[in-house]
Amino acid sequence: MLSAPILLQLLWTGLAMSSAYCLFAVAFALVLKVNQVWNFAQPALFIAAYYSMYAAWQGAGLPTWVGLALSLAVTVFLAALLEWYGFRVFRNRRSASLTFFIFTMVVSQLAVSLAELFVGTDARALQSSVMSPIHLVGVVAISEWDLLALATTAVLMLALWLLMSFTRFGKQMTAVADNPELAALYGINVSRCYLHSMMLAALLVMAGAYFIGTKAAIVPSSPLNQFLIFAVIAALIAGIGRVFAAGVAAVALSLFQAFSILVIPSRWQIMLVYILIFVCILLFPQGVRRNPRRLAAVEPAPVSQTSVPQP
Amino acid sequence: MNKVVALLTPLLRFATRSAEVLQRARAPRRSMGASRLPASMRILAALAGLGISAGASAACNKPFKFGVGDPLTGPSATFGIDQVQAIKWAVEDINAAGGINGCKLEVIIVDNQAKPDIAITTTNRFIQVDKVPVIVTAFSNVVKAVAPIVNREKVLLLSVGANSPAIAKMGDYVYTTFPLADVDMNALPPYLIKKHGKKRAAVLYVNHETGIEGSQVFRDAFKASGGEVVLYDSYEENRTDFTGLALKVRSTNPDVIHIQSVVSDFPAIVSQLRQLGITTQVTSFQTAFNTKMIQDLGAASEGIIVTSMAPGVDQNPALVPYLKRWQDQYKRLPNGLPYTQYWYDSAYIVADLFRWVEANKLPATGENMRKALLAIKTFKQPLSGPVTFFENHTVSKATYFWQVKGGKFVMIDKSDL
Amino acid sequence: MIEYLSVLAAMALINVVLAVSFNLVLGYGGLVSIAHPIFFALGAYASGLLARDLGMPVPLAILAGGAIAMISSFALSVPALRVSGDYMVITSLGFQLALVHIITNVEFTGAAGGLTGIPSAFEGPIRGQLGLFAIAVFAIACVAIVRWLMHGPYGRAVTAMRNDEQALESLGRSPMAIKVMLFAMACGMAGVVGGFYAHHFLYLTPEQFGTFASTALLTMVVVGGAATTWGPVLGAILITLLPEAIRFLDMPISVMAPAQGVMFSVLVLIFMYLRPQGLLGGARAGGGVSSWYGSRAERRVNGGVKP
């Protein structure tokens, strides 16, 4: 059973499947880093993306690129709404994290219920056939879906990295992530950065939704009950502020789950993910806060030099 | 699995219970055939009934009602809708032929989404509001959930199509008109081993009543016939991504994959198996005997073998006008054709029960309907062939084997029992 | 009519206990946990199984269910709270989903098909009314306990903990101990009322205890007014009765359930925007979501930057 072809196939397919989870994790981590919000409303973005694509393709029969453009517009718009009329309002009110948490969870639940209302609770895929052509490379079956998913994710990750590291757009977001007040002092439009990060997250989520939906059907509650927890754990493992590490963590988690099929029954695979949460907490008792350290690094020079008037 | 209906379940329950009580408060009670007409009136009514040759009399003051709970929405609706159509046609046909001694047979149809908690609410409603003595339903998990209720309230439950062997032990008032999985799942493995030379089976099953017991029967029978079961794994009902499972199947290298599924999970699993280049022979039971499945899977459906407990057109010519009716009205074959045959016939069984109860001058209570069932024992079923109810709540029929060839189901063999 | 009202009242009272106990955790304690329905489930399943399979008498089974729920709460609260309140969110979500998954996949709970054949607490024609009476007594007791507790010295310690943990620690009290005990109490209550539910309604399915149930509880607490005594009571009664109102619109089943989900979510959002103190929380009463303003709980996720 543990022969090379099998292991290779598991590796390949596991990697391909992890592409969507990587996108979700990176989106979640980005919002966590820049907006400093645990975005439990990410399932709502997924649902908006997924069902707008579904409506465009299966409902109205529009061409592929129209559906993609439409879905992107809808998701990005929703993300902007979430930030502008949601997070910003509560941020200005200096609301507790409890408030953000309730808000985001309830927004997700609203999205799930709306989807169930309009589309029903049956499983739907984005295309009428989820079979894509396969090629046998040696002993490994590689489907075109696999290739597209991996390529797209790689391109998006590269683009995001370039954006964050080399463009003003990206560097401003990083500055806001480190210290919003200081960033504002430097003339950075903090609110706009918050919007930008949410919109980027929306793009990533939409891409992930596309790949999920072209592989298998889902029910409206899947984003909330299944995909969210992956993204959260990946972000947890990677640590707040480490976006690409979250992506890597998601890939590792997904591979871990894929290989677990060799030793445990398939219905218990998801338990590994839940158990991992508890393991994380026990192994990282310091918590995932790295902010205090970074804040300390950017704090102004010792008080005695600046506040006490020098003779 | 619909995770949405959470705390709402109890709310739904008393929501419909409130409807019951409010209806009771508003409308006068309707008694179920327990009429207390004076003898002279009853004789006149009987004579009047005899005198009517065509059509049931609308002047009959005791319509015979029974309840039907099946999924009209939700993931299993593909089957439920067609099953309900079949039984509605049967009721029409029975009434056109004179009904029950001239009185109409009436069916009350309620959607239960094949969900146990909704089914409980609807069953309570049938019993407390509509006061039916017989309920027809399907899906093993539904039958399991409502069994305690019908046993407690002494209402006869006819399970038509659900095949978990546990149904035979669910109580005095639970009977199946359809052979349980220990019939066809005992017939399929020896057939595969002897006639198709299979030796290594991977068994996948859905993690509830429909899948659990039937797959156990298959597994044990496959081993008993000299084969090896290389994989025996389950999946939850609402799972849609089977990549991990498919990989595991591939790693165990079987020569036949048997899937004990519900409705929409089967095409999902097969398509994902084929996606990984797994071309192994796939088998299933009657739930996969479904032309929609062939449509969904296309070429990937070639060669799939399924069992069916109902005769085909060659065995039963009465099927020809039935299939024509489907083509005329819907331009297609029914989904889950053999199930619809049993559902059509179940109305005839119910009608026979009412006739017996009437003939023996007993009130049409659940208890008496049950007596009728045990007294009549063997029923002529127009579409699915005669059926005999055994003492142990089981029935036994021949198993037919069908295979998808050229995009159509073709009967390839039969196993007598 | 009587039967209808007594079933409705029983459900409302069960929801009252759930909302009041959830309020202990979320409202008073400021603990960000959404796993409350799972303790309800643990109590219900434990009580049902003990009574059905081990023949335990029903009152004892209900108490045992509550105890099991209470003990299980330590499995969640101790590891999570040892670190920080943020961990509680994720851990509670994982805890809930994990337990629902286990219940759905393990044979002895009846798995996805649910637990049937639970022995009833009372027999006979007035079993509905007797059950209602028992639940009512328990609900009143819960509300009374919470009120007495939170208006006394313990309540002040809890408020202090919510507002400034470090200060509390410096006074020699342990915030961790307070949080864990508060959580245990709340989960114990939920577990006991779970037992009542099991022996009154006689059927459990794992789906009832997922994230939707969490939303319903959140709605009750937020709408009623968090961190108040009567807020959750009012919220529970309202949220139990509201679905009745839309039921009369005679919608098909497939529409009704998600419609209720939409209704609950929209209600919570409206209240969070317009009246975060809930119906009964006022500036003076200090209740509602706003009771966390200025508290330590607030400073966590907002970048740690505060003027």
Side-chain angles (χ1 to χ4, degrees):
Chain A
M1 189 160 115
L2 285 180
S3 61
I6 301 301
L7 291 174
L8 276 173
Q9 180 73 63
L10 270 175
L11 182 65
W12 172 259
T13 310
L15 262 178
M17 286 304 298
S18 73
S19 54
Y21 289 113
C22 174
L23 292 170
F24 296 142
V26 169
F28 189 83
L30 183 64
V31 174
L32 183 59
K33 175 191 171 97
V34 178
N35 303 53
Q36 311 268 336
V37 172
W38 293 85
N39 184 16
F40 291 107
Q42 189 162 292
L45 294 176
F46 181 105
I47 287 174
Y50 193 89
Y51 287 103
S52 52
M53 279 190 275
Y54 182 80
W57 294 330
Q58 302 281 38
L62 298 171
T64 311
W65 66 270
V66 173
L68 285 173
L70 204 68
S71 174
L72 186 62
V74 167
T75 317
V76 165
F77 180 64
L78 180 64
L81 270 182
L82 263 176
E83 162 57 42
W84 196 256
Y85 289 110
F87 303 151
R88 193 180 57 106
V89 169
F90 295 115
R91 206 181 284 124
N92 290 343
R93 280 196 210 172
R94 313 228 167 274
S95 297
S97 66
L98 188 52
T99 308
F100 283 90
F101 158 67
I102 297 178
F103 173 69
T104 50
M105 284 293 296
V106 166
V107 165
S108 281
Q109 183 63 66
L110 179 61
V112 170
S113 295
L114 281 173
E116 288 180 346
L117 197 59
F118 290 113
V119 181
T121 52
D122 330 348
R124 313 264 169 161
L126 286 177
Q127 293 163 341
S128 28
S129 165
V130 291
M131 309 270 291
S132 77
I134 51 169
H135 309 279
L136 278 171
V137 173
V139 286
V140 179
I142 295 182
S143 79
E144 288 183 5
W145 181 92
D146 294 343
L147 292 170
L148 186 63
L150 281 170
T152 312
T153 306
V155 164
L156 282 173
M157 290 297 100
L158 184 66
L160 184 68
W161 180 73
L162 289 172
L163 196 76
M164 297 295 286
S165 315
F166 297 113
T167 66
R168 197 140 151 248
F169 184 85
K171 288 197 243 191
Q172 284 184 347
M173 280 197 286
T174 312
V176 169
D178 281 348
N179 192 335
E181 296 240 321
L182 200 60
L185 277 175
Y186 277 111
I188 295 177
N189 187 334
V190 174
S191 315
R192 186 118 46 94
C193 282
Y194 286 149
L195 271 176
H196 289 164
S197 74
M198 280 296 283
M199 287 157 70
L200 272 177
L203 166 65
L204 296 171
V205 168
M206 185 227 136
Y210 172 78
F211 289 116
I212 297 274
T214 50
K215 177 102 180 132
I218 61 154
V219 292
S221 54
S222 299
L224 181 55
N225 292 332
Q226 240 177 282
F227 308 136
L228 178 65
I229 201 83
F230 243 85
V232 173
I233 297 179
L236 207 62
I237 296 175
I240 297 184
R242 302 184 60 192
V243 174
F244 296 100
V248 171
V251 172
L253 264 178
S254 185
L255 281 174
F256 177 57
Q257 229 195 9
F259 278 98
S260 70
I261 194 78
L262 294 173
V263 286
I264 59 173
S266 78
R267 68 179 184 274
W268 294 119
Q269 278 184 295
I270 190 70
M271 286 299 294
L272 288 177
V273 172
Y274 299 139
I275 292 172
L276 208 59
I277 303 179
F278 282 85
V279 167
C280 273
I281 297 177
L282 294 172
L283 286 185
F284 301 133
Q286 273 26 275
V288 286
R289 312 212 133 261
R290 293 171 209 242
N291 262 342
R293 191 196 68 202
R294 200 178 302 147
L295 276 177
V298 303
E299 247 174 296
V303 172
S304 57
Q305 284 181 330
T306 52
S307 66
V308 173
Q310 297 296 312
Chain B
M1 182 71 29
N2 186 4
K3 290 189 168 54
V4 168
V5 182
L7 264 183
L8 273 312
T9 315
L11 301 181
L12 273 173
R13 295 170 64 116
F14 64 72
T16 43
R17 271 195 222 186
S18 72
E20 301 158 13
V21 182
L22 288 172
Q23 279 181 22
R24 242 184 283 161
R26 282 190 228 125
R29 285 189 177 235
R30 300 162 296 188
S31 57
M32 266 307 316
S35 63
R36 297 280 171 253
L37 290 176
S40 53
M41 289 287 285
R42 299 227 296 260
I43 293 170
L44 278 177
L47 285 173
L50 282 174
I52 293 174
S53 52
S57 161
C60 188
N61 66 349
K62 42 174 178 172
F64 294 97
K65 292 190 209 251
F66 68 103
V68 159
D70 218 25
L72 299 175
T73 55
S76 301
T78 342
F79 276 17
I81 294 176
D82 288 0
Q83 288 168 351
V84 164
Q85 173 64 86
I87 206 173
K88 282 209 302 215
W89 278 339
V91 170
E92 277 169 32
D93 295 347
I94 292 171
N95 286 334
I100 298 159
N101 304 337
C103 292
K104 268 189 190 289
L105 179 66
E106 242 183 71
V107 59
I108 306 172
I109 299 170
V110 170
D111 177 15
N112 65 14
Q113 297 198 319
K115 290 214 182 92
D117 39 11
I118 302 185
I120 288 185
T121 312
T122 57
T123 305
N124 277 322
R125 186 206 122 151
F126 276 141
I127 297 176
Q128 283 157 18
V129 180
D130 304 302
K131 299 209 188 300
V132 297
V134 167
I135 300 174
V136 173
T137 193
F139 295 90
S140 305
N141 52 349
V142 165
V143 175
K144 174 188 166 188
V146 305
I149 304 178
V150 297
N151 286 324
R152 187 176 63 220
E153 306 284 341
K154 296 204 188 355
V155 167
L156 184 62
L157 184 74
L158 289 178
S159 164
V160 183
N163 73 341
S164 164
I167 290 177
K169 301 189 193 62
M170 279 183 187
D172 289 342
Y173 282 84
V174 178
Y175 283 87
T176 175
T177 72
F178 181 82
L180 303 176
D182 41 12
V183 176
D184 56 345
M185 289 302 103
N186 265 316
L188 183 61
Y191 170 73
L192 288 172
I193 291 180
K194 295 198 185 88
K195 300 276 178 69
H196 290 261
K198 300 301 178 192
K199 297 188 180 55
R200 300 164 56 89
V203 179
L204 306 175
Y205 62 98
V206 65
N207 185 26
H208 66 59
E209 281 68 24
T210 304
I212 296 175
E213 319 232 358
S215 62
Q216 276 172 1
V217 175
F218 181 95
R219 175 192 64 188
D220 297 341
F222 199 84
K223 284 200 239 179
S225 305
E228 191 192 341
V229 174
V230 296
L231 176 63
Y232 183 73
D233 207 351
S234 74
Y235 56 90
E236 60 275 19
E237 186 179 352
N238 62 345
R239 186 191 300 201
T240 48
D241 178 34
F242 296 96
T243 312
L245 204 52
L247 286 172
K248 193 160 188 181
V249 167
R250 169 126 173 226
S251 73
T252 54
N253 202 22
D255 53 23
V256 65
I257 304 170
H258 177 74
I259 308 178
Q260 196 85 7
S261 48
V262 194
V263 180
S264 41
D265 41 351
F266 184 78
I269 298 177
V270 175
S271 66
Q272 291 178 32
L273 283 171
R274 300 294 183 235
Q275 269 287 257
L276 277 173
I278 302 173
T279 51
T280 320
Q281 169 76 60
V282 169
T283 64
S284 186
F285 66 116
Q286 198 172 285
T287 51
F289 188 132
N290 183 11
T291 44
K292 187 167 182 301
M293 179 272 284
I294 300 181
Q295 270 176 351
D296 288 343
L297 287 174
S301 64
E302 276 302 297
I304 293 180
I305 294 178
V306 301
T307 58
S308 161
M309 309 312 292
V313 171
D314 295 331
Q315 290 77 31
N316 186 356
L319 221 51
V320 175
Y322 175 71
L323 292 175
K324 184 168 182 307
R325 204 169 181 175
W326 277 98
Q327 288 289 7
D328 289 342
Q329 189 159 337
Y330 294 96
K331 313 271 183 294
R332 61 171 173 89
L333 290 174
N335 295 318
L337 165 61
Y339 290 116
T340 65
Q341 289 169 252
Y342 274 87
W343 270 74
Y344 182 90
D345 293 340
S346 63
Y348 282 82
I349 295 182
V350 172
D352 284 348
L353 294 178
F354 276 122
R355 282 197 197 97
W356 186 95
V357 158
E358 281 296 289
N360 288 280
K361 301 191 187 15
L362 291 167
T365 63
E367 220 174 321
N368 292 330
M369 296 295 268
R370 180 173 173 267
K371 272 200 204 127
L373 187 76
L374 295 172
I376 304 177
K377 272 195 89 165
T378 301
F379 293 79
K380 257 186 0 197
Q381 297 196 105
L383 294 183
S384 38
V387 69
T388 304
F389 290 90
F390 300 134
E391 283 293 323
N392 60 359
H393 293 250
T394 61
V395 302
S396 191
K397 308 259 270 142
T399 305
Y400 300 91
F401 301 107
W402 295 70
Q403 186 168 33
V404 179
K405 287 191 181 167
K408 282 203 178 67
F409 278 111
V410 171
M411 188 183 292
I412 53 176
D413 219 320
K414 176 180 162 184
S415 158
D416 286 311
L417 243 126
Chain C
M1 207 56 183
I2 295 191
E3 202 198 315
Y4 161 57
L5 284 179
S6 65
V7 169
L8 192 61
M11 207 51 232
L13 287 167
I14 289 177
N15 283 334
V16 162
V17 174
L18 284 174
V20 164
S21 53
F22 189 45
N23 185 35
L24 257 186
V25 168
L26 192 76
Y28 285 113
L31 303 175
V32 194
S33 155
I34 60 158
H36 211 63
I38 208 64
F39 297 103
F40 179 54
L42 280 171
Y45 269 96
S47 179
L49 284 168
L50 285 170
R52 185 188 76 166
D53 295 339
L54 295 183
M56 211 185 251
V58 169
L60 203 59
I62 293 179
L63 283 174
I68 289 175
M70 190 186 272
I71 296 172
S72 315
S73 78
F74 295 122
L76 176 58
S77 59
V78 171
L81 293 174
R82 202 164 59 92
V83 185
S84 82
D86 287 341
Y87 261 129
M88 190 69 168
V89 182
I90 302 146
T91 325
S92 67
L93 181 62
F95 190 77
Q96 177 178 29
L97 292 176
L99 276 174
V100 169
H101 189 82
I102 293 176
I103 295 175
T104 313
N105 284 287
V106 161
E107 238 188 86
F108 75 91
T109 59
L115 192 66
T116 56
I118 303 175
S120 173
F122 302 100
E123 299 290 341
I126 55 163
R127 65 170 284 272
Q129 285 71 40
L130 285 175
L132 170 65
F133 180 71
I135 296 172
V137 166
F138 183 65
I140 293 172
C142 282
V143 175
I145 291 175
V146 168
R147 182 170 180 83
W148 169 75
L149 212 55
M150 289 301 133
H151 280 70
Y154 187 74
R156 288 194 282 278
V158 168
T159 313
M161 170 204 76
R162 199 174 66 228
N163 288 338
D164 199 327
E165 264 179 56
Q166 285 176 340
L168 190 71
E169 253 177 319
S170 68
L171 290 173
R173 301 289 294 265
S174 161
M176 176 76 173
I178 294 180
K179 287 187 218 177
V180 170
M181 282 322 295
L182 208 59
F183 200 69
M185 248 192 296
C187 296
M189 267 188 219
V192 171
V193 88
F196 276 107
Y197 177 87
H199 296 283
H200 192 78
F201 290 98
L202 309 183
Y203 179 67
L204 302 170
T205 101
E207 301 178 323
Q208 291 169 267
F209 306 109
T211 47
F212 187 87
S214 308
T215 308
L217 280 184
L218 262 177
T219 313
M220 291 178 210
V221 169
V222 168
V223 165
T228 65
T229 313
W230 297 105
V233 174
L234 180 62
I237 295 176
L238 271 177
I239 298 309
T240 313
L241 294 183
L242 263 172
E244 287 300 289
I246 71 169
R247 190 193 57 75
F248 285 105
L249 299 176
D250 205 24
M251 290 183 272
I253 297 177
S254 51
V255 166
M256 221 171 82
Q260 289 173 351
V262 170
M263 193 173 62
F264 287 175
S265 330
V266 167
L267 258 180
V268 174
L269 288 174
I270 291 177
F271 270 83
M272 292 202 71
Y273 275 103
L274 299 179
R275 200 184 159 88
Q277 67 269 40
L279 286 171
L280 291 186
R284 190 180 55 82
V289 175
S290 50
S291 61
W292 301 299
Y293 290 173
S295 70
R296 178 110 173 95
E298 169 204 336
R299 287 187 229 113
R300 286 202 199 103
V301 171
N302 300 346
V305 177
K306 238 184 78 82

